Amino acid sequence: MSAARRAEQAFRERFGTAPEGVWAAPGRVNVIGEHTDYNGGYVLPVALASTTRAAVARRDDGLLSLASVQHPDEDLRVEVAGLAPGHPAGWAAYPAGVVHDLRDRAAGGLSILVDGEVPSGAGLSSSAALSCAVALALRDLLAPHLSAADLVDVARRAENDFAGAPTGILDQSAALLCTAGHALFLDTRDRSGAQVPFDLAAAGLALLVIDSGTTHDHAAGGYGDRRRECEAAAARLGVGLLREIDDVAALEPLADGTPEGDVLHRRARHVVTEDARVLEVVGALRGDGDPRAIGPVLTAGHASLRDDFEVSLPLLDGIVEAAVAAGAHGARMVGGGFGGSVIALVEADAADAVTAAVGTRFERAGHPQPRTFVTVPSAGARRLA
């Protein structure tokens, strides 16, 4: 049975009628460009093959009725007029936030059933997949004038303002704008973008995703702390966004000998050097050179996230070390940090060996075996039925 049919069937079972359609949006992995989006910088994500689906139908009683295959005991019914940041909370906050943002159009009410396999808390942007699938459905059913850029904003506001997750536009842009076989090179300051060919298989390579099993939550404190630190660094330097600085030497005024200055200096240094790493990777992928050359850039990005941005964990560091020691060309943590996943650029015929090496590292440390898979750059959000 197809994913669309499963969602349709689950919708019928919960609501006793057929949905008007089924929409899907993917998770993502960010090849390079972490914590740069809310600083106006560059990002380079690819969409995963795994998606979150939303089966949706309009109502006429002013109610929002939410159900999830993954949370079968958490069905929710609330008046659209009663939606407010923090109510509802949990997984339901993301679709509810989208409805709240479009409440003038959705005042009649909606029934929404969600289903998917993007792992939650793995740094693969399951929340944006959910928000974007619902946003696309509401665009098609209620607001056909909305552009893709508008949908990015709708989904971002649902996460930022309603669910309380202070993300930039990386995750939502990846879910809505990525195309199969490409990475999305996005300038988050002016929102210009380009599709960069990312056919690793043709070069005998694979991008391995290793889920550490340690979950994270963008709505928790660490991510927001980093964003505030970047804003404070920019303010001290007299710029609106750290993106405006392209030379680490210009960050020296932050290093004033105080503990706070040291922290702000390191946070800003990560952002400036990470923007440079995105440009380096894009240049390599657009050229005729060997894509294996991007491997050390990925590993350098991890070191920066670990040391300057301080969002890694010993478990993530161990995965990176084990993968590189087993022959990966490069590896780094992905996502907001404090848990989640690692990506490793490997020879396609060495993926099993790298997976085994990481598994051995986990076993010795007493951790459950990680979930691993090879990701192929896939399509962005679309209507399935």
Side-chain angles (χ1 to χ4, degrees):
M1 184 185 298
S2 70
R5 290 295 301 276
R6 286 196 302 271
E8 288 177 340
Q9 180 175 312
F11 187 97
R12 288 178 182 272
E13 291 171 356
R14 298 295 180 89
F15 299 114
T17 187
E20 293 182 68
V22 178
W23 291 260
R28 64 98 187 94
V29 291
N30 194 22
V31 179
I32 195 76
E34 220 66 80
H35 287 276
T36 53
D37 58 341
Y38 55 80
N39 288 293
Y42 302 109
V43 295
L44 189 71
V46 297
L48 299 176
S50 56
T51 65
T52 294
R53 279 82 62 190
V56 183
R58 287 168 284 192
R59 303 171 66 102
D60 58 9
D61 58 4
L63 295 178
L64 172 63
S65 188
L66 295 170
S68 167
V69 172
Q70 282 67 48
H71 302 276
D73 300 322
E74 299 179 20
D75 289 7
L76 178 77
R77 183 173 290 190
V78 61
E79 291 184 356
V80 172
L83 295 172
H87 176 68
W91 72 267
Y94 297 94
V98 173
V99 175
H100 179 259
D101 195 80
L102 297 173
R103 57 193 177 277
D104 291 343
R105 297 269 178 169
L110 294 154
S111 294
I112 302 174
L113 180 286
V114 298
D115 180 26
E117 64 278 342
V118 183
S120 176
L124 305 177
S125 197
S126 60
S127 57
L130 173 54
S131 300
C132 290
V134 174
L136 186 63
L138 268 59
R139 192 278 304 273
D140 288 355
L141 293 176
L142 301 170
H145 63 286
L146 294 179
S147 67
D150 292 331
L151 293 184
V152 169
D153 288 336
V154 168
R156 180 191 54 78
R157 287 192 295 266
E159 295 205 49
N160 290 183
D161 303 335
F162 198 94
T167 67
I169 64 169
L170 161 62
D171 298 344
Q172 301 83 10
S173 297
L176 288 160
L177 303 176
C178 279
T179 62
H182 296 82
L184 173 67
F185 175 41
L186 180 67
D187 181 335
T188 65
R189 181 169 61 175
D190 64 15
R191 302 181 70 161
S192 60
Q195 302 293 337
V196 179
F198 198 61
D199 185 4
L200 295 179
L205 295 169
L207 193 64
L208 185 66
V209 180
I210 305 158
D211 180 358
S212 72
T214 302
T215 60
H216 74 146
D217 182 357
H218 275 167
Y223 187 99
D225 290 344
R226 296 302 180 273
R227 184 164 186 163
R228 285 187 290 274
E229 288 161 351
C230 289
E231 291 168 351
R236 285 198 182 190
L237 293 167
V239 296
L241 294 164
L242 288 176
R243 158 65 185 282
E244 297 173 42
I245 298 172
D246 58 10
D247 184 354
V248 293
L251 304 176
E252 286 306 313
L254 296 173
D256 58 6
T258 67
E260 182 183 10
D262 175 65
V263 168
L264 297 184
H265 181 253
R266 287 187 288 113
R267 302 297 188 255
R269 184 169 60 195
H270 165 72
V271 174
V272 173
T273 58
E274 186 78 345
D275 274 335
R277 283 186 285 272
V278 176
L279 295 176
E280 184 177 356
V281 169
V282 170
L285 294 176
R286 282 176 164 170
D288 297 326
D290 189 339
R292 289 166 180 81
I294 75 172
V297 186
L298 304 186
T299 307
H302 180 80
S304 182
L305 288 161
R306 181 193 64 210
D307 301 334
D308 278 349
F309 224 65
E310 296 183 288
V311 293
S312 189
L313 295 174
L315 183 59
L316 298 175
D317 300 338
I319 295 173
V320 170
E321 292 166 6
V324 172
H329 298 289
R332 73 174 193 89
M333 57 151 284
V334 294
F338 311 104
S341 299
V342 165
I343 57 170
L345 182 68
V346 302
E347 296 293 324
D349 58 7
D352 289 344
V354 173
T355 298
V358 172
T360 298
R361 181 74 169 251
F362 269 60
E363 184 177 357
R364 289 175 178 170
H367 297 294
Q369 288 294 297
R371 175 175 179 260
T372 62
F373 61 93
V374 170
T375 186
V376 176
S378 301
R382 65 269 190 197
R383 185 169 186 166
L384 299 180

